[in-house]
Amino acid sequence: MTTSTLDNPSKSLDNLLSRIGKSLNNAAATSSATARLREEAMKMVKKIDEHAEASRDQMLDPLLPRAQIEEAKRNAEAASVDSQRLKAAIELLQSRAEELLNSESAAKAARRYQAAQEQRDKVSAMIADRYPALSSELVTLIEEIMKANAMVDRVNSDLPEGSPPLNRPEGHARGFHDHGSYDVPVSLRTFRITQSMLPSMEAESRTVWPLARDYEYHVLERGKVFSQKQVQGMFNRS
């Protein structure tokens, strides 16, 4: 093979280096575009190195005339220089891509932070505006449930002849068995509205429902909720 038949990839090197220079000086460049350019440069380096190796092989061809050997030598040396130049450019692209990626990540984190802060402020305002009235309304509802429970329990303890037991109001509304003992399995498996925990707007004030005493909060520290019997006892003493 003669040197004139070798495909010299260095012919397109100047164009690539020009684009690399523009990219490195472009303030609007992105990490992804810079990484793609780096990949292109790495493929070019591989081709140039292969061309340099092929030229060195020609230099050792005993059948080639001196002129072609000299040409092969020049091609190998030029390809070696081109390879080194491009490898230096690749290092610059790698550094620039990392710099841009860090900058983009920081910008993305800042946008997420701002969005979260705005949503936090929005929901915080909703809590401050709506929760006091909502919690007060829920407490009123729960108290009415508790009073009606007591009435139903009294009636069920002395039923008129032939009358079936009455379901308590929550069971009647939600469709579950709700008369008799709170210790039966169906009652123990059912979480009731009356077992809800409604915190006070003032964190130090614990809850607006149930009306638990400080020593009773140890139940919550164990990851449990107050049973209906415990809630009933708290309501009865209030």
Side-chain angles (χ1 to χ4, degrees):
M1 181 184 293
T2 64
T3 55
S4 59
T5 63
L6 290 177
D7 181 21
N8 187 352
S10 295
K11 293 178 181 179
S12 56
L13 179 62
D14 288 344
N15 177 269
L16 178 57
L17 288 175
S18 176
R19 288 190 289 124
I20 290 174
K22 291 178 181 178
S23 175
L24 293 173
N25 293 313
N26 183 6
T30 64
S31 62
S32 58
T34 304
R36 286 194 298 271
L37 190 57
R38 177 179 175 274
E39 290 298 319
E40 183 181 347
M42 290 176 67
K43 291 178 181 178
M44 175 69 78
V45 162
K46 183 179 179 181
K47 291 181 179 179
I48 291 175
D49 287 344
E50 289 173 352
H51 178 72
E53 184 64 26
S55 295
R56 283 191 289 270
D57 289 343
Q58 282 190 334
M59 290 167 53
L60 302 177
D61 188 342
L63 302 179
L64 283 181
R66 172 63 63 181
Q68 290 186 1
I69 292 175
E70 291 298 327
E71 182 181 355
K73 181 178 179 181
R74 289 192 299 271
N75 287 339
E77 291 174 348
S80 177
V81 171
D82 288 343
S83 176
Q84 292 178 44
R85 291 177 65 205
L86 197 49
K87 287 175 181 176
I90 288 172
E91 291 183 4
L92 293 176
L93 286 171
Q94 176 66 25
S95 297
R96 179 59 172 158
E98 292 174 356
E99 177 187 341
L100 289 170
L101 183 59
N102 290 336
S103 178
E104 290 163 1
S105 297
K108 186 177 181 179
R111 289 193 297 271
R112 287 198 304 266
Y113 183 89
Q114 182 177 358
Q117 187 176 45
E118 290 174 356
Q119 185 66 9
R120 186 278 312 270
D121 291 346
K122 176 183 175 181
V123 176
S124 178
M126 289 173 62
I127 294 171
D129 180 57
R130 298 174 59 185
Y131 182 72
L134 285 173
S135 61
S136 177
E137 185 176 352
L138 284 171
V139 168
T140 298
L141 173 62
I142 291 171
E143 289 176 344
E144 290 301 316
I145 293 172
M146 297 298 292
K147 293 174 185 177
N149 283 350
M151 291 179 65
V152 169
D153 288 345
R154 284 194 295 271
V155 167
N156 285 345
S157 67
D158 186 18
L159 287 169
E161 186 175 350
S163 298
L166 292 175
N167 233 10
R168 298 183 183 95
E170 189 171 350
H172 189 65
R174 295 174 58 198
F176 64 88
H177 177 91
D178 195 15
H179 59 77
S181 172
Y182 288 117
D183 292 329
V184 297
V186 67
S187 290
L188 294 174
R189 289 196 301 268
T190 303
F191 186 79
R192 301 166 183 269
I193 295 171
T194 49
Q195 290 176 269
S196 301
M197 297 291 296
L198 299 177
S200 169
M201 275 297 291
E202 295 75 30
E204 297 80 6
S205 300
R206 298 277 186 159
T207 59
V208 293
W209 182 269
L211 303 176
R213 294 172 179 170
D214 285 345
Y215 67 86
E216 292 171 314
Y217 281 99
H218 68 87
V219 170
L220 308 181
E221 293 170 359
R222 295 200 300 268
K224 298 181 180 180
V225 296
F226 291 119
S227 69
Q228 180 61 24
K229 289 183 69 174
Q230 290 173 310
V231 172
Q232 184 72 47
M234 296 172 193
F235 179 72
N236 289 342
R237 74 183 180 212
S238 62

